[in-house]
Amino acid sequence: MTWQVLVHGPLARLDERVSRALVDTVPRPLSELASDLGNMPVALPVLGCAMTYAVWRGRWRAALCAGLAMAAVPLLVVPMKLWTARPGPLEPWAHGYYPSGHTATAMVAYFGAAFLVSNRLVPVAAVLTAVTGTGLVLRGYHWPLDVVASLCLGLLILTFSNTMAQKINNNQSS
């Protein structure tokens, strides 16, 4: 995907056509509300509450790993935005839309919170992340590939975080 974005290949061109067909197909207040689920002032308190709960339950190492996972989001997203310099769907003069930081933030925050509190909340995290990404595309804030790339990045971050948390727990059990 990144290569296609960088060279403006056929997948990137298809992405742009799909985006143009989807933007403003729902009322703007609805797509803006959905997009806002990926804002840090919305997503971070959810993760923060889950981290507090995990610490209270004696799972401070898991909480630490979740916090580090969230810290990794801007450390990975910002350089990619600078490197790709992809223009926005509604702002072709502005650059830095690939990948979507809002989608990555939503995914890491909501799934991280679900893993800390209860795996039964994973479907809720999936819905919140999907609604965020969909809202970003429907409002015209991001191209669909921006969102898909962030989902891949979020999956990578969460997998690494959960692996580290498990290794730490296994070392403590030994």
Side-chain angles (χ1 to χ4, degrees), residues 147-170:
V147 170
V148 173
S150 287
L151 294 174
C152 294
L153 184 62
L155 181 61
L156 180 71
I157 292 169
L158 288 167
T159 300
F160 182 77
S161 173
N162 285 338
T163 301
M164 292 306 298
Q166 288 173 354
K167 285 185 181 193
I168 292 170
N169 284 335
N170 290 341

Side-chain angles (χ1 to χ4, degrees), residues 35-114:
S35 300
D36 287 346
L37 291 173
N39 286 343
M40 287 199 181
V42 177
L44 289 185
V46 172
L47 181 60
C49 288
M51 289 170 65
T52 302
Y53 174 78
V55 168
W56 179 67
R57 301 284 299 184
R59 299 182 56 226
W60 67 269
R61 291 173 188 90
L64 176 64
C65 287
L68 292 173
M70 183 52 70
V73 171
L75 294 175
L76 296 171
V77 169
V78 170
M80 285 189 71
K81 286 178 173 290
L82 294 171
W83 179 47
T84 59
R86 188 174 198 196
L90 299 179
E91 299 175 340
W93 61 89
H95 292 83
Y97 284 79
Y98 180 93
S100 165
H102 284 77
T103 303
T105 297
M107 185 173 191
V108 172
Y110 299 135
F111 276 94

Side-chain angles (χ1 to χ4, degrees), residues 30-31 33-38 42-43 46 102-103 105-112 114-115 119-136 138 147 151 158:
L30 186 60
S31 60
L33 179 65
S35 300
D36 287 346
L37 291 173
V42 177
V46 172
H102 284 77
T103 303
T105 297
M107 185 173 191
V108 172
Y110 299 135
F111 276 94
F115 295 148
N119 285 340
R120 290 182 298 199
L121 294 174
V122 167
V124 175
V127 168
L128 291 171
T129 302
V131 167
T132 301
T134 302
L136 290 164
L138 294 176
V147 170
L151 294 174
L158 288 167

